[in-house]
Amino acid sequence: VQLQASGGGLVQAGDSLRLSCAASGLFFTNYAMAWFRQAPGKEREFVAVISRSGSTTYAGSVTGRFTSSRDNVKSTVYLTMNSLKPEDTAVYYCAAKIQSIPNVSSWRNLNQFDYWGQGTLVTVSS
């Protein structure tokens, strides 16, 4: 299984950015996908999770600004980030876990996910 995250970069506060995570080696439609981030000197934290059906749950700090979506044909999950703030600066990771229950809104812990991408750096300047 491989998860390849991309799309990070250096942007200014208020800008938008879209991250992608391309999955291979798994049957993508069977998996819930999630985004986590890790800022310098901090622990990795939950950002968003999207279920097989496309239902999404977000961390409070990004609700209303970030949107996750998935393209099952391309086996890719996206994180569209609007109104970026300097505190959004972090390495963003995608993660996958096979989904056998309908509701994944409680899936916010690192240990709940089986596969991880390598991360992509997002830097937001003030």
Side-chain angles (χ1 to χ4, degrees):
V1 175
Q2 281 196 324
L3 302 178
Q4 183 69 41
S6 61
L10 173 62
V11 298
Q12 293 187 330
D15 284 352
S16 298
L17 204 58
R18 189 178 81 158
L19 306 182
S20 300
C21 174
S24 60
L26 53 77
F27 196 60
F28 186 73
T29 56
N30 284 351
Y31 284 76
M33 303 295 295
W35 291 95
F36 288 78
R37 68 185 181 185
Q38 188 166 16
K42 296 188 176 181
E43 294 186 349
R44 195 171 300 188
E45 65 176 7
F46 168 78
V47 175
V49 61
I50 182 166
S51 72
R52 293 173 57 185
S53 66
S55 297
T56 52
T57 302
Y58 301 96
S61 59
V62 307
T63 298
R65 300 189 298 122
F66 290 12
T67 302
S68 185
S69 59
R70 62 190 295 158
D71 184 332
N72 289 335
V73 174
K74 295 182 178 180
S75 297
T76 300
V77 62
Y78 303 98
L79 184 68
T80 301
M81 306 182 293
N82 298 319
S83 303
L84 282 161
K85 305 175 181 180
E87 51 263 44
D88 295 318
T89 294
V91 176
Y92 283 72
Y93 299 89
C94 57
K97 176 180 173 61
I98 198 163
Q99 181 183 341
S100 58
I101 58 175
N103 191 332
V104 301
S105 61
S106 63
W107 291 10
R108 300 171 180 234
N109 296 321
L110 301 175
N111 294 336
Q112 293 177 296
F113 291 88
D114 300 317
Y115 303 106
W116 290 84
Q118 86 289 359
T120 185
L121 176 62
V122 174
T123 304
V124 184
S125 64
S126 58

